[in-house]
Amino acid sequence: MSFSEEAQSDVPLLSEKHSGIPGYLLEKARKAKVGVFETRTKPKASRNRLPVIPHGIDEQVFSDALGELGKQLGEENVERNDKPLRDGWYMEHPNTHDLMAVVDDEELVPSAIVYPGSTEEVQQIVLWANKYKIPINPISMGRNLGYGGAAPRVRGAVLVDLGRRMNKVLEISPEDYTCLLEPGVSFFALYEAIKEKGYDHLWVDVPDVGGGSVIGNTVDRGVGYTPYGDHWACHAGLEVVLPTGEVIRTGMGALPGNNTWQTFPYGFGPYSDGIFSQSNFGIVTKMGMTLMPNPGGYESFCYTFQKEEDLHQLIEIIRPLRIGNILENVAQLRHVTQSIAVSGRPRTDFYKGSDTIPSEVVHAVAATGPMGDYTWAYYGMSYGPPHIRQYKLSIVDAEFKKVAGARRIDPSTLPADEYFWARDRVAAGVPELQELRWVNWMPNGAHIAFSPVSPIRGSDATRLYDLAKKRHEEFGVDLFPAFCVGLREMHLIVELVYDRADPERRKAVLDCLRHLVDDAAALGYGEYRTHLVLMDQVAGTYNWNDGALMKFHEKLKDALDPNGIMAPGRCGIWPKKYRNRGWEMTKDSGENTQGDGVAPS
Ligand code: EUG
């Protein structure tokens, strides 16, 4: 297919494909797709670096081993990754590579992709990997875009794509407000499954864009925007295939005949769930998730603040309100540049210079929009019946208006396609697609995140913002900061948007990020989550007491995964046979993600 044909082909529906779009978002998805392909100039990828074979394995042995696995799973469920890489876009994303690769496309690629249909088949794959000492890399759906997508950290690992055949909503309990899911269930799919059953009293907490796997997002400790925004904190019960092939159920799931797996997360004894988040200690094949009760009413609100310097005072105002639950949800405080970009219009519509977009230009554009000019916009939601909301909203109004120039936006003045309404739906548990429109800021737009955590304090917000601003200026990257306010902390999310077909810009963005991570660490800040190519560096900043935590993780890794087959390098945790061979990616690694092979078995 040519680009124009690709752009015109329709977006797959959820009814056709587990990763598809629900009907209510089809029109929006079609428009987004046109936008993405209109600005695409990147040539169709060819393959130069073939064949891809896992390190330490003879090509023929690998081929025979795949044949053997094909006999177990069915030939159609084992494929070599040897065709030209097709990027697609968010709704038709590849499982062959990182669609938003920040290093060469062909660097972080699997050698093959396998599709298990059950927990038993996942066990078979794991046993097979141990038999041949082949690294495997599980994905739920591979939509962790900005953090590596479907790519494995180790080139040549065999990708285990769980979602394609394991995508059932296994249970929804309208009494307990819980559900039990397989890895291929997206936020879109869970939302639709609840609607289909007519369970209007159940709400899902959804992230900015709803196409990701609920399990994938949760085990990566992702965030949503209702009061249930901390996904990991809201999960209850896991089924996990260990790196040696045993299967366990955590919490109450260990008690045969229980009816509490999804209602009491801890069970008895050590709480082991934690080691299966942001790790490479197992493959999660089922997960329980709690669902929020419909609060019986809700109302989005938005305030704008004029000056950059207002950030300090505003964050000081937010902290007690958020901890005291007057501000009830994970809200976003967004910078005006990102608000302009989320319109989906390319940057060149506003500015043609190759430096960062000047502040005057941004403000002049903002002034023409329905919200008028501003620097920061706070998007929040109040929940419950009107009199309850009124009580909370009046406090918020009095407090926010202490900031000189603060304005409450009247939602009734905003057109239906204004971004405000996308935030409104997300905060009410309705999955959206609009957020990704800012990838169009650049041709062949890709994004990669800098995501440090801080307390909800004005001084921290300002320090992180200043740091990000300085480095963005230095590397010529437009700054898109959004503070996501959790209960006692904030995730600052800075998405660096770049033209992924331009190796120089890719490098600039990666260099910028490497500085940001180090700068933040020098001030005592760490990232809550990161891209594959930054995992070693970020893990290296969590080094108190001579790296005691990583030593502990390595001890666990060696005990649980003696052959080192499970997602080597994920979150900076390397199995023994990869250690001290230069696999870690640092400032000096450039595009090279591979060390000097593996120790002989
Ligand atoms: C986003 C949000 C995240 C994240 C990466 C991207 C979306 C950007 C709250 O967490 O980690 C607005």
Side-chain angles (χ1 to χ4, degrees):
M1 256 192 293
S2 71
F3 275 154
S4 58
E5 279 164 354
E6 192 164 353
Q8 279 158 24
S9 67
D10 210 355
V11 182
L13 281 164
L14 189 55
S15 54
E16 299 159 356
K17 202 174 177 189
H18 75 288
S19 58
I21 194 86
Y24 74 93
L25 286 171
L26 181 59
E27 267 319 303
K28 202 171 237 183
R30 284 176 173 150
K31 282 207 188 96
K33 184 173 181 177
V34 169
V36 163
F37 283 93
E38 256 171 14
T39 58
R40 186 164 296 183
T41 60
K42 187 181 177 215
K44 284 231 122 141
S46 57
R47 284 305 285 273
N48 301 311
R49 300 168 58 187
L50 284 171
V52 186
I53 306 290
H55 282 267
I57 310 292
D58 173 79
E59 190 171 345
Q60 191 56 48
V61 173
F62 181 57
S63 204
D64 294 347
L66 279 180
E68 182 185 314
L69 192 60
K71 288 208 182 69
Q72 292 182 55
L73 306 182
E75 305 292 336
E76 69 284 9
N77 295 315
V78 174
E79 17 178 88
R80 286 297 284 266
N81 181 19
D82 55 4
K83 288 155 218 64
L85 302 176
R86 301 168 58 90
D87 283 352
W89 69 295
Y90 182 84
M91 283 312 304
E92 292 158 88
H93 68 294
N95 62 6
T96 48
H97 65 296
D98 181 2
L99 138 69
M100 300 188 163
V102 72
V103 293
D104 183 78
D105 288 8
E106 293 192 62
E107 189 65 29
L108 296 177
V109 289
S111 53
I113 301 147
V114 300
Y115 301 97
S118 63
T119 301
E120 292 69 32
E121 290 192 354
V122 174
Q123 289 179 277
Q124 288 174 27
I125 293 166
V126 167
L127 292 173
W128 170 87
N130 277 285
K131 177 175 167 191
Y132 292 103
K133 315 286 186 287
I134 291 172
I136 57 175
N137 193 87
I139 59 163
S140 296
M141 292 175 67
R143 273 213 180 107
N144 200 18
L145 299 171
Y147 294 121
R153 172 60 181 82
V154 163
R155 187 167 200 273
V158 170
L159 199 82
V160 185
D161 184 336
L162 300 159
R164 181 145 111 183
R165 297 174 64 216
M166 298 172 73
N167 51 43
K168 285 190 287 301
V169 175
L170 296 169
E171 258 173 59
I172 301 175
S173 166
E175 292 88 16
D176 299 329
Y177 296 71
T178 60
C179 60
L180 183 66
L181 307 172
E182 289 190 326
V185 178
S186 67
F187 291 93
F188 289 150
L190 178 56
Y191 173 80
E192 290 286 273
I194 288 170
K195 280 281 155 293
E196 209 164 278
K197 291 204 179 279
Y199 294 151
D200 290 340
H201 62 301
L202 305 181
W203 274 26
V204 186
D205 184 276
V206 300
D208 290 275
V209 193
S213 154
V214 180
I215 288 185
N217 180 279
T218 303
V219 299
D220 209 36
R221 299 200 294 261
V223 175
Y225 298 97
T226 73
Y228 277 35
D230 179 348
H231 291 164
W232 183 252
C234 292
H235 95 282
L238 301 175
E239 179 182 271
V240 185
V241 175
L242 298 177
T244 40
E246 302 90 337
V247 54
I248 62 170
R249 289 186 175 181
T250 66
M252 296 308 294
L255 196 150
N258 81 82
N259 62 357
T260 41
W261 194 17
Q262 272 63 70
T263 50
F264 183 61
Y266 307 125
F268 183 75
Y271 178 55
S272 31
D273 289 40
I275 65 166
F276 301 111
S277 71
Q278 289 193 6
S279 80
N280 48 16
F281 299 155
I283 299 179
V284 176
T285 47
K286 290 185 181 69
M287 183 186 78
M289 196 71 184
T290 55
L291 299 167
M292 189 177 132
N294 182 335
Y298 60 87
E299 183 176 346
S300 270
F301 60 93
C302 179
Y303 285 80
T304 60
F305 305 89
Q306 291 307 305
K307 298 194 301 289
E308 206 169 50
E309 314 81 85
D310 292 339
L311 182 64
H312 188 286
Q313 184 188 5
L314 178 58
I315 296 288
E316 288 294 304
I317 289 170
I318 289 171
R319 184 181 57 252
L321 295 179
R322 180 71 182 105
I323 295 174
N325 211 33
I326 297 297
L327 293 170
E328 299 162 89
N329 67 325
V330 175
Q332 278 197 1
L333 181 65
R334 295 165 68 98
H335 190 271
V336 62
T337 312
Q338 191 167 22
S339 307
I340 290 170
V342 85
S343 68
R345 287 170 63 189
R347 149 195 230 271
T348 46
D349 279 11
F350 310 111
Y351 186 63
K352 303 240 177 335
S354 60
D355 54 338
T356 56
I357 188 166
S359 172
E360 313 82 75
V361 176
V362 170
H363 287 294
V365 174
T368 65
M371 303 209 324
D373 186 25
Y374 60 92
T375 296
W376 300 102
Y378 181 96
Y379 293 90
M381 186 176 270
S382 185
Y383 299 87
H387 64 290
I388 302 286
R389 300 202 302 263
Q390 196 42 54
Y391 169 75
K392 294 175 283 198
L393 287 171
S394 62
I395 298 174
V396 172
D397 193 69
E399 290 296 310
F400 278 14
K401 285 200 173 141
K402 287 179 180 168
V403 181
R407 278 194 294 123
R408 183 179 170 278
I409 301 296
D410 176 0
S412 70
T413 64
L414 299 175
D417 62 353
E418 172 64 28
Y419 177 73
F420 172 90
W421 297 113
R423 284 247 73 85
D424 175 65
R425 286 185 286 274
V426 166
V430 182
E432 256 295 331
L433 193 66
Q434 195 154 339
E435 188 66 45
L436 57 83
R437 296 305 302 276
W438 44 246
V439 298
N440 282 12
W441 192 243
M442 294 289 175
N444 311 302
H447 61 92
I448 180 168
F450 169 57
S451 322
V453 196
S454 78
I456 310 172
R457 290 198 207 132
S459 53
D460 293 296
T462 306
R463 219 174 281 146
L464 284 168
Y465 175 66
D466 288 348
L467 179 163
K469 194 171 160 181
K470 182 170 145 265
R471 289 296 187 187
H472 277 62
E473 287 296 334
E474 181 183 340
F475 289 93
V477 184
D478 292 326
L479 179 58
F480 290 0
F483 290 94
C484 302
V485 190
L487 195 54
R488 277 183 178 72
E489 50 69 45
M490 305 188 294
H491 298 14
L492 166 60
I493 307 296
V494 178
E495 287 283 6
L496 289 80
V497 180
Y498 59 100
D499 178 349
R500 69 183 186 280
D502 180 345
E504 270 173 43
R505 291 313 297 159
R506 283 197 333 231
K507 180 176 184 322
V509 160
L510 186 52
D511 286 347
C512 182
L513 272 160
R514 294 217 178 274
H515 280 289
L516 287 169
V517 170
D518 281 354
D519 293 349
L523 297 172
Y525 301 107
E527 285 68 45
Y528 91 103
R529 185 179 181 189
T530 202
H531 189 281
L532 288 173
V533 302
L534 292 160
M535 285 176 172
D536 294 310
Q537 189 186 351
V538 168
T541 64
Y542 287 78
N543 61 3
W544 180 77
N545 193 17
D546 196 24
L549 184 61
M550 183 52 83
K551 288 177 192 167
F552 172 66
H553 292 157
E554 289 180 346
K555 205 177 270 183
L556 287 173
K557 183 67 177 165
D558 292 342
L560 293 172
D561 185 9
N563 289 320
I565 52 101
M566 184 79 72
R570 179 147 199 98
C571 291
I573 305 164
W574 290 98
K576 203 176 213 144
K577 68 182 191 188
Y578 291 76
R579 274 177 228 151
N580 306 314
R581 303 178 81 89
W583 279 86
E584 293 80 4
M585 285 190 79
T586 63
K587 270 209 177 85
D588 311 317
S589 308
E591 303 250 321
N592 182 22
T593 69
Q594 306 176 71
D596 179 22
V598 295
S601 304

